[in-house]
Amino acid sequence: MEYRNVLTTCPYCGTGCGLYLQVLDGKVVGTLPVKGHLVSEGALCIKGWNAHAFVHHPDRLTKPLIKENGQFREASWDEAYGLIADKFAFFRDKCSPDSLAVLSSAKCTNEENYLLQKFTRAVLGTNNVDHCARL
Amino acid sequence: MNRLEPLRKVVDDALDKMDGVIALRKTSGLVAPYLFRDKEELDELTISPKYPTPAILRLIQTAHPEAKLGIVCRGCEERGLIEMAKRNQIDLERIRVIGLACTAEEAEECRCAKPYPSVLIDTHVGVRTEPVVNKLTEELRQKDMAERLEFWRSQFDKCIKCYGCRNACPQCFCPECTLENDLWVDAGKVPPPFPTFYLIRAMHTAGKCVGCRECELACPAHIPLTTLYTLIREEVGEMFGYEPGVDLEAQPPLVLPMEVES
């Protein structure tokens, strides 16, 4: 028998509200707002209140899927990343770097967004980088 | 008076006999409810800010019906347990309630009519303070119907329909919530219909709202929800002579069959 709350940041938008994932016997069972949190001050929106719902959801993808002939099939992470890298290299080298564009996310941390623009500019070689908050 | 050290001592003693004690724990500067089982962790036990712990007792007890659990309770939380027990949501036989009196400042902030537990507890930490009068309730009572409607309309205009009031409420435990029923509330429309949305919740918690203020504290729009429910609680008191959370034996009016006048 174990009950505890794990502090985390809401994954749904860029505001950064604090929330607790309620953990009962090793399973995530609910969400609580964090009282006294600098950003969210003990409140959440409807998305934050339901942030626990996808964690153990049966529809959640747990393995990479590759689409072949209109059908998805499960793949290993190595195979999926290999395919992504090959396709990026193909379009960068055979077409042009500017044939590629990257959209980052307000859900990411500053560090993740920094890494993504660095990857876009330094590895892919294009300035085509933007983020979902401007869509 | 320092309540923390005496409370730690009481919880320490309780852990000798109980499988665990539900209380608040401070880690990384932030406070969350926690099921204490290991005495070594008691230096992390803390008192405030309060959380809806009766709902957490229900959660743990549902998964572990045989467990003997302790729970640290303020006055409002004890009242909440009483109403939940009347509706078979928790089993009082297997729990031990450790009382914690609120300070005068805490009572003032919550506008609390009874800032200490006294019914279920066998131990008690802190000094009992005086009840506080809810000034906003008094002000609203002075206004006429049209003014009151306008006041609530302007308040509920701010609602972002987060369902936080329902989610935070220890008395909201229905498996299916009317507020998610398309018949009453259209999905995806904000603000929700006035006054239906708010009165559904107010009516469904009438006779069991104990004024713990968790709804109000969870509200991102700072709507004074507890004041609305206090006004309805007073009406229920006048009409049915029932006050939620006070007496374990008294039957709530919405649970009793209606008497037909002949």
Side-chain angles (χ1 to χ4, degrees), chain B residues 23-262:
Chain B
L24 301 177
R25 180 194 191 199
K26 189 172 193 173
T27 46
S28 317
L30 291 166
V31 176
Y34 185 63
L35 179 66
F36 283 90
R37 302 198 68 191
D38 183 351
K39 291 187 174 192
E40 297 287 310
E41 294 174 335
L42 285 179
D43 57 344
E44 294 176 335
L45 184 141
T46 193
I47 286 179
S48 64
K50 76 189 192 82
Y51 272 85
T53 46
I56 286 146
L57 173 71
R58 176 177 175 267
L59 184 74
I60 299 174
Q61 215 179 37
T62 306
H64 300 278
E66 300 303 315
K68 287 190 287 179
L69 297 171
I71 179 169
V72 175
C73 271
R74 292 168 185 265
C76 56
E77 290 153 0
E78 182 197 61
R79 296 196 296 276
L81 291 183
I82 290 171
E83 288 305 311
M84 289 165 84
K86 286 179 185 177
R87 291 163 181 85
N88 298 321
Q89 297 302 309
I90 52 163
D91 179 8
L92 290 179
E93 295 295 316
R94 291 190 177 274
I95 68 166
R96 182 177 165 201
V97 181
I98 297 163
L100 175 70
C102 290
T103 61
E105 293 77 29
E106 287 169 338
E108 183 67 38
E109 194 197 334
C110 282
R111 311 180 299 274
C112 184
K114 184 172 171 285
Y116 52 86
S118 64
V119 183
L120 305 174
I121 53 169
D122 61 4
T123 341
H124 177 261
V125 174
V127 180
R128 290 180 181 180
T129 56
E130 293 298 311
V132 175
V133 176
N134 188 338
K135 290 198 186 94
L136 186 54
T137 319
E138 295 303 311
E139 276 174 33
L140 280 167
R141 281 200 176 280
Q142 304 303 318
K143 294 181 188 222
D144 66 29
M145 219 42 162
E147 286 174 320
R148 280 161 76 164
L149 191 66
E150 204 37 55
F151 172 80
W152 288 115
R153 190 190 300 279
S154 69
Q155 288 295 329
F156 285 119
D157 257 1
K158 303 185 288 186
C159 175
I160 64 165
K161 207 181 175 190
C162 69
Y163 285 84
C165 48
R166 188 232 16 214
N167 296 343
C169 180
Q171 303 301 332
C172 273
F173 38 67
C174 298
E176 284 181 30
C177 179
T178 311
L179 296 179
E180 290 179 29
N181 185 331
D182 283 345
L183 186 66
W184 297 99
V185 180
D186 287 334
K189 284 193 183 161
V190 176
F194 179 85
T196 339
F197 188 85
Y198 316 101
L199 287 185
I200 288 171
R201 200 179 121 68
M203 282 304 165
H204 286 200
T205 53
K208 58 181 184 175
C209 171
V210 295
C212 73
R213 254 183 103 232
E214 291 294 346
C215 51
E216 195 171 286
L217 293 168
C219 182
H222 305 296
I223 299 168
L225 292 161
T226 310
T227 299
L228 177 66
Y229 305 140
T230 302
L231 285 163
I232 290 171
R233 187 163 63 246
E234 288 170 5
E235 297 282 335
V236 170
E238 281 167 27
M239 291 164 77
F240 300 97
Y242 184 76
E243 195 177 339
V246 172
D247 180 356
L248 259 176
E249 303 303 321
Q251 285 297 303
L254 286 173
V255 175
L256 283 176
M258 295 291 282
E259 279 180 32
V260 181
E261 285 182 31
S262 51

Side-chain angles (χ1 to χ4, degrees), chain A residues 103-116:
Chain A
L103 290 175
S104 188
S105 170
K107 293 180 192 176
C108 297
T109 61
N110 284 336
E111 292 77 10
E112 287 165 335
N113 276 321
Y114 175 81
L115 273 177
L116 202 67

